[in-house]
DNA sequence: ACTTTTCCAGGGAGCGGTCCCTCACGACGC
DNA sequence: GCGTCGTGAGGGACCGCTCCCTGGAAAAGT
């Protein structure tokens, strides 16, 4: 099942390789009759250009890597937003006529494999998703000298990024709770190695400080069980609290369960608000109020930034605004 | 930022290209001292082989495509299982030292693009996920003459596949409901263009028939809202029903909500059972009993089958067993 | 009418690897 | 001591494409 080559097509059409190449690549300096005879030959033979050969000489691959850097426990890729992001990226690349190579970097070993692969010239650019601030990957990739866009802020200074307005979102949540006349507002944080977790915490703190209230903080790690556990902790430490801002929805869902088991009514006794507005937030009872993270839009923006970078465009970071989705839990 | 080539490394090490190539590819017929001097040159120069050049001559890419064929509404890729599958596949390929190109085929246009890409020799094999029975893609890809494995049964005869035991899983669910002394057991189906939906329905029907009971069927399309709607329909048609088997969890969750709004207690008045056991199934209240689809295992099996196919191995289909996860809703 | 410019098809040199084939050299057998 | 064999390094053709360069024909200029 050998595929025909340019040369075979050229022979069939009775023209030179160069002419066929020009037709294939849509150059305009080709006489119509040559164009036609070439196209016919192409269709008759079912010719499709060999990608490797083309890559080799053009040094472009029309392929972008999406690298998901994640500890083995899988905080990020377990996240329900993962598939939304992957889909949005995929759709956007499809539109731009590019391909997507997905790589999960879960261990140091796979991290070096990723760098090797990138260095091998297989891709034109890299989209980095959800890294720890301490991650060595962003810097290592940036050093390869090809375009890198991060899906979050990272410790590597010069990596362009598209980020959520995490602090602003947290402020939105807290102000909403204040408007509902809540006085003792606790928070459950994400893992503080992550920028987004730190920013959400900072937004929460700042807003409370501005209104002269004190923070009540419990640590979580963005998983549902950690949310349940943190809520238990909070109830013990401060039984009088009347609202909880969880740094993501999974933890909010965990907190909801804990509250129900403890016999607290939501939202009457304790209001609960999450962050991200994942699908499952609308399934819970009561349905969860949440700060919507426009992940699909963020993914789209990240792809655009990366594509523009590849074309030598600007590298200005993009910050996505969030909005509040009020449901039953507040 | 020009990367060094084999030739440069060879010059630096004072040996021939061939020797460097042998060292890089770990051939054993190389004298230790040559090996050492080459390795040193490789490290000093930071040499990484150019992928395109290698692909061109070896005709292998060590890359596999995962093609998700899906209508624009996104039945499959909206599915919470999507990310689980992608992750499992990614991990497995990582282990095997292969790369993953993800392609969503949402329109006819993108379908042709997929076929073109595959024909371009960019990948060594294809893993097809979740197709409509009428999909033209499996056949088109199989015609390309490279290994294809389907993640479900398809209409294309000769495409090897890894499937769930859908009928068996449905039977498991229905028998469980019968054991709970339910007499009027309804079902909410998936979109019947999909094999899995038909098989789940068939399993339901057969099990009821075997025990002399009649089927009560409402049509859904695997989305949550369709489940809610179908449940409304069922309550209207047959107010006395005491159990519902939904063909997937999202629809079960929708049904749960409808039942609660209608004032039926779950499981006291109506037992609800889902299929797939997605994460969210354990978040609902009451937590959802479900037939667990071992999607990650299925994905792993599919990758193994594909890899074995590439090495010229057998093409026997694999059927994955499912198990029941009993929670509060039954 | 002749030269200059424009335009477009063809020829062919790479791109950076792999791998077949040749050949040198040391070990071994007789 | 000489021929044979085995081992392993080197030379170079080749994978399929792009793109620069050349050259001939047609168009434009004088």
């Amino acid at each position: 099942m050998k595929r025909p080559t340019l040369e075979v097509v050229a022979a069939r059409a009775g023209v030179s390789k160069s002419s066929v190449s020009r037709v294939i690549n849509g150059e305009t300096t080709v006489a119509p009759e040559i164009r036609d005879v070439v196209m016919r030959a192409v269709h008759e033979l079912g010719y499709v250009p060999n990608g490797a050969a083309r890559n080799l000489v053009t040094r472009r691959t029309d392929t972008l890597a999406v690298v998901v850097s994640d500890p083995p426990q899988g905080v990020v890729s377990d996240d329900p937003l993962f598939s939304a992001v992957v889909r949005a990226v995929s759709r956007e690349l499809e539109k731009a006529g590019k391909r997507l190579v997905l790589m999960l970097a879960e261990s140091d070993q796979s991290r070096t494999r990723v760098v090797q692969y990138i260095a091998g010239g297989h891709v034109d650019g890299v989209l980095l998703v959800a890294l720890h601030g301490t991650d060595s990957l962003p810097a290592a990739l940036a050093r390869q000298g090809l375009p890198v866009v991060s899906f979050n802020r990272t410790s590597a200074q010069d990596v362009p990024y598209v980020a959520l307005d995490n602090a602003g979102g947290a402020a939105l949540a807290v102000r909403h709770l204040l408007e509902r006349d809540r006085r003792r507002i606790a928070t459950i944080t994400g893992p503080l190695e992550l920028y987004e977790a730190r920013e959400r915490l900072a937004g929460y703190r700042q807003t409370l400080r501005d209104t002269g209230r004190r923070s009540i903080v419990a640590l979580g790690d963005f998983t549902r069980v950690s949310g349940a556990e943190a809520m238990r902790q909070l109830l013990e430490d401060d039984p009088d609290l009347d609202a909880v801002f969880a740094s993501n929805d999974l933890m909010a869902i965990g907190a909801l369960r804990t509250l129900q088991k403890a016999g607290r009514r939501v939202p009457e006794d304790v209001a609960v608000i999450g962050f991200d507005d994942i699908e499952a937030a609308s399934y819970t009872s009561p349905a969860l109020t949440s700060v919507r993270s426009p992940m699909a839009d963020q993914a789209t923006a990240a792809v655009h930034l990366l594509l523009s970078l590849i074309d030598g465009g600007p590298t200005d970071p993009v910050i996505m605004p969030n909005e509040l989705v009020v449901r039953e839990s507040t």
Side-chain angles (χ1 to χ4, degrees), chain A residues 149-167:
Chain A
V149 166
S150 171
F151 203 70
N152 276 307
R153 205 162 304 172
T154 75
S155 52
Q157 293 304 329
D158 39 349
V159 177
Y161 60 89
V162 176
L164 292 175
D165 181 9
N166 287 300

Side-chain angles (χ1 to χ4, degrees), chain A residues 256-276:
Chain A
L256 227 46
R257 267 297 170 110
T258 297
L259 286 169
Q260 286 170 341
K261 281 189 194 147
R264 311 283 177 120
R265 289 167 306 157
V266 178
E268 293 81 354
D269 302 332
V270 181
V272 176
I273 187 165
F275 204 119
D276 287 343

Side-chain angles (χ1 to χ4, degrees), chain A residues 138 144 218 222 240:
Chain A
Q144 296 301 321
F222 278 162
D240 293 337

Side-chain angles (χ1 to χ4, degrees), chain A residues 28-60:
Chain A
T28 50
T29 65
V30 186
E33 61 268 26
I34 288 204
R35 217 193 76 87
D36 289 348
V37 69
V38 168
M39 289 307 280
R40 200 171 320 128
V42 165
H43 286 130
E44 286 169 3
L45 296 170
Y47 171 74
V48 177
N50 176 300
R54 181 178 277 179
N55 297 166
L56 180 57
V57 48
T58 60
R59 314 187 148 288
R60 282 181 304 95

Side-chain angles (χ1 to χ4, degrees), chain A residues 245-258:
Chain A
F245 161 57
S247 285
N248 80 351
D249 286 346
L250 287 180
M251 295 193 300
I253 290 171
L256 227 46
R257 267 297 170 110
T258 297

